[in-house]
Structure formats: structure tokens, C-alpha cells
Amino acid sequence: FKGLYPENTLLAFNKAYEAEVDIIETDLQMTLDGVIVVNHDFNTGRTWDDDMIISESNWEDLQKLRNKEDPSLSMMTLADLLEWSIEHPDCQLMLDIKFTNDKLILLRTYSELLKCKDDLAYWRSKLIWGVWLLDWFEYGISTGIFKDFKVIAITMSLDVADQFINHSIKLNNPKFQLYGISVHYISTWTERFRKTMIPTLNENDVKVFLWTINKKVDFKYTIGLPIYGTVTDNPVLTRKYLIEAQKLIKDKDESKVLLPKFVPPLWNTR
């Protein structure tokens, strides 16, 4: 909900929950002393009142930072987020784990889950892991961390998305099957995505998430594609735009929805 509230903060999470989002997407980094914190960037200068590199800083120092937009807000740890999530049961968590970290962050995240609530079945229904590189997916499989969890590939590259998809197909293990890909929405306009990837995604039940969509016109383009979910900065507006777009494609008897043929925008338009 960064469109209205400081991103990755308790305030934003509470407001997103009040807006009845299905999933809260957030970002993880790890400190020098091994504490996992909730922050998008590898450093703190953009959103906090001092510029520190998280992987080179201890939690004792980072917890003193205050949010630039709202000084009453401090940085959250993963432990804080997990406790909050348990108290707010009606949405899932999607963890965007940045590849600027050491892979140890996966083990520490797994450990933090069990420390907070020693119930893997609960976390498997609650949590979606997001990783950026194939070797991270392989690491999560070889260590058993990802067993029976939902895992998505987050990437700006359809080549990397293909790597994840092909690895999951080759592995052919329902315990470690790729749940989805999360890509920039513009990549779905390409012929490669629409004509080559979509059949494979549908055949293997790999869901598609898009980021980050905020404009009404861009939501209209998603209607003609098999999109499972979108990351947005304002879920209230998003729901309004989607309802309006869906009204345009309802069948007369409203018993079914007819997907229009997707026509990509011209590349020379604004």
C-alpha cells in the first residue's frame, strides 16, 4: 500500500489488511548479525533517516532508524511480521527475498517460521517464497526448505523465468513444484510470453503474478491474459479498476466471463 502509506511498515500492512488484500508482498534483507529485517533496498537511505548498508550493519543500530514519511515508524524484523501475520489470518504473505543477500537468509527465515509457530502445515498454507535466481531455488530444494511450500520466481527476464519453469518440469516432483512466476507487467505484452510461455504455464499450472500495476489502462490489458495476481501500490483503486474492467467483458446473461482477445499497445505510444 505504498501509494498512500510508508512502504514495508506496520501502518502499511494494517491498511492493506483493512483493504482486504489476498496477499501482502514484502521484502527481506539480513543484517550483519543475522537478523532478518523488512526492507526493499539493500541500504536504508531512501526510506529511513540515515543511510546504512543493511548487510554491514547490526540490528542494534538499524532499530534506531525512523521512517522519513512518519517518524513514529521503525523498521520491522521478520519476527515482527510473522507475529503480525498470525494475528491477521485472512491473507497470505509473499516474501520477496533479495538476491543481494547470502543464501543463509533462507535457512534463517525457515528457522524463524518455526520459532514463531512450530507448525509447518500452517506456514505452507500461509506463505509464498519469492526468489530471483535459479540457484536459490535449487538451494531451497536441496536443503528441503521449500518442500511443499509455494515458491515463485521473481524476475525481469523471461529467460530466467524459463529456467525456473524448465527446472521444475524436469524435476517432476510435486513436493518441489514451482508455484508461479512474478514478472514485470510489460513483459506479458511480448509475443514470446503470449504464444510460447502461456501454453507451458497453463499446462504445468504455473501461476502468473505481475508487478507493479497502478494505472487503470494497464489493468485493462491484464484482463485478456491468464494473470493470477498483481502487485499494486493501492489495492483499493486496483479492486475498483478490476471490477470496472470485468464489467466490460461479462456475457449478457452474466453466467460467464468472456476474455477478449489481447491486443498489445503500440510501442510508440506513451
Side-chain angles (χ1 to χ4, degrees), residues 143-154:
T143 56
I145 292 171
F146 289 163
K147 182 180 180 182
D148 289 324
F149 273 100
K150 296 173 181 174
V151 181
I152 62 168
I154 308 172

Side-chain angles (χ1 to χ4, degrees), residues 192-220:
R192 176 182 176 184
F193 178 83
R194 291 180 287 115
K195 296 184 178 179
T196 304
M197 292 189 72
I198 282 179
T200 303
L201 293 167
N202 289 341
E203 182 181 347
N204 293 279
D205 192 26
V206 178
K207 311 234 175 347
V208 180
F209 296 86
L210 303 183
W211 46 268
T212 299
I213 309 184
N214 292 312
K215 294 182 179 179
K216 184 175 182 178
V217 63
D218 293 320
F219 280 107
K220 285 185 178 179

